[in-house]
Amino acid sequence: MASEGSANIQMQPEALGVLLDMSRRAREAGDHAVLSFMAVNDSHALAHYRQAAMWLADGAIHALSGVVQIEANAPYAQWLGHVCAALPGANGVPSLVEAHTLPEALGAEWGEWLPAFGLWIPFPDGVSGGWLFARDTQWGDIDIALLAEWMRIWHHAWSALGLRNPWSWRHWRKKTAGAAPAAAAPARPWWRRPRVLWSLAVALLLVFPVRLTVLAPGELVPAKPAVIRAPLEGVIGSFAVKPNQQVTAGQLLFSFDDAPLQARLEVSRQGLAGALAEYRQAAQLALSEEKSKSQLAMLTAKVEERQAEVDYLDGQLERSRVLAPQAGTVLMDDPSEWIGRPVAVGERIARVATPGDVEVEAWLPLGDAIPLDAGATATLYLNASPLAPVGARTRYVAHDALQRPDGGYAYRVRATLDGATGHRVGLKGTAKLAGGRVPLIYWVLRRPLAAIRQTIGY
């Protein structure tokens, strides 16, 4: 039939021209909707028919001639789907269809829905669908040959656009069935089959040991800074240094407003002078009066009390001038925020850090609290210099979680630098903390498993 049809096609150049034009349009089609329309409507230019349908192997009629939108629950669409499913799919070989060639239940309704003579052309792959044409006259060899050739051209364009539903289980079943002969070649033993080899490779990859790492916010902080705290309760009067200024040991940092202390000291000195005068007077009288001798002990205690008060206020006045305990860099906020502000005893005001005495401080979130031994690798990627990471070794991890300014809780981690760094104190970034080695599958599923266990409680 095919050779005879090919010969007849050669004798009809107008039909061949139509076929070439439709082939060009199929190649230029941008989506499957255009190709579906061409299949059931434009095929009429090659062979006359009254009705046409396109059926896909998912069990539904995908396109009908003269119909814009198909009602899937309509009796005609459902009956037509059962008919197409019952027709043979012999890799694009056309077959004539009439009522008596169908199962009795389907053939009984043929005359109600379709003309007497039908033509079924399955897709060349033989499994994914086909076309059904119906008309009132017998099908000729020329018509069948033209439609069969048009089907092959159309199907190539359809496949080039991709499958209609790549996630269909039928698609994957077809892929699996197509690969089965090569994957299960009888000449190969089971342990050399690709499926087994790939499964073994995946299993080995999943158990491959990798370093368990977590990320945490980190920054460069002074390792052993001298913390400057308020030595007394009062109001800061002035600052003698600026933030990040280099200072020497004993250099003045800031001073308190000493006017109240000066006033109290002057009052105490006056009281001391009065107590001394009273003591000297009693001492002179004691030479002649016994009564004055008994008052000397009390007056001596009063003088010592006044002297202690003066010494204390002298010390407070001296402490009101805060000096740098060591040489280094002053780390503090804006001085204008402190001037005139009352502070309590022991309140931290500034720090003096020795140049080069820097380490990494990271805050490990509760959900990422992996075991970290002393000396574990830590790498700080600074926001200001991401291409120059800072290497360090973990010094300690806090046992108790502390509340951060953002309200969350985290464990403080301190790490000693591997070497000197040119980055300044205060730069922030992300610290990568490395623990022990674990299988790759554990590294991948650690957080999901933790979230699932927290959700379902198992």
Side-chain angles (χ1 to χ4, degrees):
M1 179 183 298
S3 61
E4 182 181 354
S6 299
N8 290 331
I9 292 174
Q10 293 177 359
M11 293 183 295
Q12 296 188 3
E14 65 281 359
L16 191 57
V18 172
L19 182 62
L20 291 174
D21 179 68
M22 294 176 64
S23 302
R24 177 187 58 78
R25 292 167 53 197
R27 289 193 302 271
E28 296 174 355
D31 53 40
H32 290 106
V34 176
L35 288 174
S36 301
F37 180 87
M38 294 180 64
V40 297
N41 293 286
D42 294 354
S43 300
H44 196 273
L46 296 174
H48 295 287
Y49 53 82
R50 203 166 79 183
Q51 295 186 37
M54 174 182 166
W55 176 81
L56 297 179
D58 57 6
I61 297 297
H62 185 62
L64 285 174
S65 57
V67 177
V68 177
Q69 185 174 1
I70 301 174
E71 179 58 45
N73 296 324
Y76 172 61
Q78 293 191 359
W79 173 83
L80 198 57
H82 293 315
V83 170
C84 294
L87 295 175
N91 295 333
V93 178
S95 59
L96 298 176
V97 183
E98 297 180 16
H100 62 84
T101 62
L102 296 173
E104 183 176 355
L106 297 174
E109 301 182 22
W110 180 277
E112 181 180 351
W113 300 110
L114 293 176
F117 302 99
L119 175 63
W120 169 250
I121 306 179
F123 289 171
D125 56 21
V127 295
S128 57
W131 295 345
L132 179 64
F133 301 97
R135 68 183 187 182
D136 296 314
T137 60
Q138 284 283 359
W139 289 92
D141 293 342
I142 296 178
D143 296 336
I144 295 174
L146 286 171
L147 291 175
E149 186 65 24
W150 164 231
M151 159 62 80
R152 292 184 179 88
I153 297 171
W154 177 92
H155 188 267
H156 185 273
W158 175 273
S159 301
L161 287 177
L163 295 174
R164 175 173 174 261
N165 186 9
W167 300 106
S168 171
W169 70 272
R170 294 178 180 271
H171 162 64
W172 291 109
R173 185 182 67 177
K174 174 191 169 184
K175 290 291 186 183
T176 304
R188 297 183 179 180
W190 65 270
W191 50 270
R192 293 186 57 189
R193 295 175 184 175
R195 289 181 180 176
V196 176
L197 295 177
W198 279 109
S199 300
L200 181 60
V202 171
L204 291 176
L205 179 63
L206 292 178
V207 299
F208 186 80
V210 296
R211 185 73 66 180
L212 181 60
T213 59
V214 293
L215 300 179
E219 64 177 313
L220 289 176
V221 297
K224 298 176 182 178
V227 180
I228 310 300
R229 301 184 181 275
L232 51 88
E233 185 174 354
V235 176
I236 296 179
S238 62
F239 271 86
V241 295
K242 299 178 180 179
N244 299 329
Q245 179 179 332
Q246 296 290 330
V247 296
T248 59
Q251 182 176 344
L252 177 65
L253 299 179
F254 60 92
S255 58
F256 284 79
D257 183 5
D258 59 356
L261 286 175
Q262 291 283 7
R264 290 173 56 189
L265 179 60
E266 185 62 27
V267 171
S268 296
R269 285 174 176 171
Q270 292 295 333
L272 176 61
L276 287 173
E278 188 176 356
Y279 173 80
R280 285 192 293 268
Q281 183 181 3
Q284 291 177 357
L285 293 175
L287 297 175
S288 59
E289 297 181 1
E290 290 292 332
K291 182 179 179 180
S292 298
K293 289 183 180 181
S294 62
Q295 295 180 348
L296 286 178
M298 182 180 64
L299 292 175
T300 301
K302 185 177 180 180
V303 170
E304 291 177 351
E305 179 184 356
R306 295 295 184 181
Q307 184 64 48
E309 185 177 356
V310 170
D311 293 342
Y312 171 75
L313 292 176
D314 272 333
Q316 289 291 88
L317 189 61
E318 183 179 354
R319 283 194 295 271
S320 67
R321 292 170 51 85
V322 180
L323 309 179
Q326 65 182 27
T329 304
V330 178
L331 305 177
M332 58 179 296
D333 295 333
D334 186 5
S336 62
E337 297 292 333
W338 289 98
I339 296 176
R341 172 180 166 183
V343 295
V345 177
E347 184 175 351
R348 193 181 79 172
I349 299 175
R351 292 176 297 171
V352 177
T354 303
D357 187 22
V358 184
E359 67 179 5
V360 175
E361 180 182 67
W363 292 93
L364 188 61
L366 299 182
D368 290 330
I370 64 173
L372 291 174
D373 299 328
T377 302
T379 306
L380 178 63
Y381 297 92
L382 297 171
N383 297 333
S385 183
L387 298 181
V390 179
R393 295 286 177 176
T394 302
R395 182 161 62 87
Y396 80 91
V397 180
H399 288 282
D400 298 326
L402 303 177
Q403 188 173 15
R404 301 293 312 283
D406 59 2
Y409 284 83
Y411 297 97
R412 187 198 302 269
V413 180
R414 285 294 184 99
T416 305
L417 300 186
D418 293 336
T421 178
H423 301 293
R424 67 174 180 83
V425 171
L427 292 180
K428 298 181 181 295
T430 300
K432 184 175 74 171
L433 307 174
R437 293 189 177 274
V438 296
L440 177 61
I441 188 172
Y442 177 82
W443 184 84
V444 173
L445 299 179
R446 182 181 65 87
R447 294 299 297 271
L449 287 176
I452 292 174
R453 293 195 65 180
Q454 292 173 5
T455 302
I456 65 178
Y458 178 76

